[in-house]
Amino acid sequence: MLILVTGGCGFIGSEFIRWQLAANADARIVNLDKLTYAGNPENLAAIAGNSRYEFQLGDIADRSCVEGLLACNTFDGVVNFAAESHVDRSLLDSGPFVQTNVIGTQVLLDACRQAGIRRYVQVSTDEVYGSLGSTGKFTEETPLAPNSPYSASKAAADMLVRAYHHSFGFPAVITRCSNNYGPYQFPEKLLPLFITNLFADLQVPVYGAGTNVRDWIHVTDHCRGIDAALRRGKPGEVYNFGGLTEKTNLEITHLLLDLIGKPHSLIRYVADRPGHDLRYAIDCTKAKRELSWQPEVVFEQGLRDTIEWYRTHGDWVARIKSGAYRDYYQQQYGGRLNQA
Ligand code: NAD
Ligand code: TYD
């Protein structure tokens, strides 16, 4: 099976490629990635020499690039991971989010439709459903009500995918997943930011009161779900994936402090994120029933392994933190968090 993966140098896309090549001997992959600040070829260093893997530098919003790639290869499936993915950045500047997440998806859909692609997976997020109160879960029927520029751009892409299936019979499925954790996550998101700060005895910035709830899923479980959707998903359908592990941000923070062995005085309460969604929780009954999928990684063990990965990959973190990331970090927290 020849798969076009977009955004494969990011956190989840790189895990999907590593996992796919290891799990399926018939899998061959072309990875189209623009290498934004979040795209890191180092994430795929382990498979760089694999004859079943090929890298292509390019932008999903670049029509000639995408059409050229599809003309030169006969792909059995396309999985679109490419996106601007960080809510906080979307609050600073939503332009790149609309450009890649909306325009990029539209260009990719057009090119895939023209090339007669038979399986397309749009990797989306539970954030398109908006925020829950203290009870209930998102099902695939929950109306979309995105609250951040990031989730609005992902919802717009989902609507395009839905419309291409409805109007043209384009064989697309949409997956919507909760918060991922695991190795190779860019250290701007909650878990890798807090883990790497704590290793350096830096404070960890908890937004607001830390009472917001997220449903955490290990990235490998998410990738198994995407693979199931690619191979067994029904065109036009949406599949939710979640980790069945709801935690407040403060619970996560306390767990990290205790596992890493740092004092709770390193918690720094900072101004809340504007429009901060209170709670996400996923009902993944449909994926269990129709894709025979369910999350397998036990959160506490997955978290321990993730901490250990960051402990043993300090050089990976250091290279990122001394690069473009530094400017963003300065803009967000410069002078407001203690230094080691
Ligand atoms: P990431 O930010 O780590 O990686 C994004 C990748 O896309 C990078 O390699 C980047 O270079 C590439 N990219 C960005 N713009 C591009 C463009 N125009 N053309 C080609 N490549 C481009 O993101 P991630 O956390 O791995 O998320 C991957 C996908 O999963 C995204 O679509 C995201 O919305 C979705 N998702 C993420 C989570 C999560 O918890 N991280 C949860 C649910 C869904
Ligand atoms: P994040 O990892 O950015 O994912 P998302 O916004 O897509 O859920 O944030 C997870 C939660 O952690 C979210 O409620 C915001 C909160 N958060 C903090 O409290 N401090 C931080 O420094 C970050 C990055 C996030």
Side-chain angles (χ1 to χ4, degrees):
M1 186 178 204
L2 180 61
I3 307 168
L4 173 61
V5 167
T6 69
C9 291
F11 165 48
I12 306 173
S14 67
E15 171 66 14
F16 181 80
I17 294 173
R18 288 188 302 272
W19 179 88
Q20 188 66 244
L21 291 175
N24 296 303
D26 72 323
R28 291 181 297 131
I29 289 176
V30 176
N31 171 19
L32 174 66
D33 197 300
K34 183 182 171 185
L35 296 183
T36 66
Y37 78 94
N40 186 351
E42 259 194 77
N43 297 356
L44 289 166
I47 53 103
N50 190 315
S51 60
R52 294 188 284 133
Y53 170 72
E54 192 184 312
F55 175 69
Q56 177 70 49
L57 180 65
D59 185 338
I60 58 164
D62 177 344
R63 186 172 294 276
S64 62
C65 162
V66 176
E67 285 179 354
L69 194 58
L70 289 166
C72 292
N73 298 273
T74 307
F75 292 108
D76 300 298
V78 174
V79 185
N80 183 24
F81 291 94
E84 290 294 335
S85 69
H86 189 35
V87 172
D88 292 328
R89 285 182 188 255
S90 79
L91 294 163
L92 293 172
D93 180 7
S94 59
F97 288 74
V98 172
Q99 178 60 25
T100 284
N101 301 0
V102 186
I103 306 291
T105 299
Q106 178 245 322
V107 169
L108 189 61
L109 285 171
D110 275 345
C112 286
R113 192 175 150 241
Q114 190 180 303
I117 292 297
R118 307 263 298 272
R119 295 165 205 222
Y120 176 100
V121 179
Q122 177 71 10
V123 180
S124 187
T125 166
D126 60 356
E127 301 191 27
V128 299
Y129 296 123
S131 184
L132 291 164
S134 53
T135 58
K137 293 192 174 199
F138 298 130
T139 72
E140 289 81 356
E141 308 306 322
T142 303
L144 304 199
N147 289 318
S148 71
Y150 162 67
S151 54
S153 67
K154 293 295 290 185
D158 285 13
M159 291 292 95
L160 279 172
V161 174
R162 179 184 180 280
Y164 274 58
H165 176 264
H166 184 83
S167 305
F168 311 123
F170 183 68
V173 302
I174 297 171
T175 62
R176 298 192 180 129
C177 189
S178 62
N179 287 61
N180 285 219
Y181 71 96
Y184 297 101
Q185 188 169 27
F186 196 86
E188 63 186 355
K189 306 272 168 64
L190 179 77
L191 275 174
L193 175 71
F194 280 24
I195 292 169
T196 56
N197 272 16
L198 291 177
F199 283 159
D201 289 316
L202 289 171
Q203 293 177 329
V204 287
V206 171
Y207 296 164
T211 48
N212 303 67
V213 174
R214 296 293 182 262
D215 169 4
W216 294 93
I217 181 172
H218 193 273
V219 64
T220 308
D221 280 335
H222 184 193
C223 289
R224 283 193 306 101
I226 292 167
D227 183 64
L230 175 68
R231 290 169 192 267
R232 302 191 291 282
K234 190 166 161 247
E237 294 293 317
V238 176
Y239 300 97
N240 282 352
F241 301 125
L244 308 174
T245 306
E246 283 185 56
K247 302 269 183 215
T248 65
N249 294 337
L250 215 43
E251 283 173 326
I252 290 278
T253 307
H254 288 157
L255 207 49
L256 291 177
L257 285 159
D258 294 343
L259 287 171
I260 297 175
K262 298 289 178 178
H264 286 220
S265 55
L266 282 175
I267 296 177
R268 169 83 177 267
Y269 291 96
V270 299
D272 207 353
R273 172 187 279 172
H276 198 170
D277 284 340
L278 177 66
R279 177 171 164 263
Y280 304 144
I282 281 274
D283 179 338
C284 46
T285 314
K286 180 176 173 183
K288 282 186 189 166
R289 189 180 61 240
E290 297 185 14
L291 300 177
S292 308
W293 174 92
Q294 60 180 11
E296 288 176 359
V297 179
V298 175
F299 180 71
E300 281 69 18
Q301 188 55 49
L303 189 61
R304 280 174 199 275
D305 293 347
T306 301
I307 292 170
E308 200 45 36
W309 188 90
Y310 282 95
R311 197 191 299 284
T312 53
H313 288 73
D315 49 347
W316 180 90
V317 175
R319 277 192 287 277
I320 289 174
K321 287 205 167 184
S322 63
Y325 169 85
R326 197 176 42 191
D327 300 336
Y328 167 76
Y329 193 81
Q330 279 299 328
Q331 194 176 351
Q332 284 282 76
Y333 306 114
R336 286 187 287 127
L337 297 183
N338 62 343
Q339 299 296 311

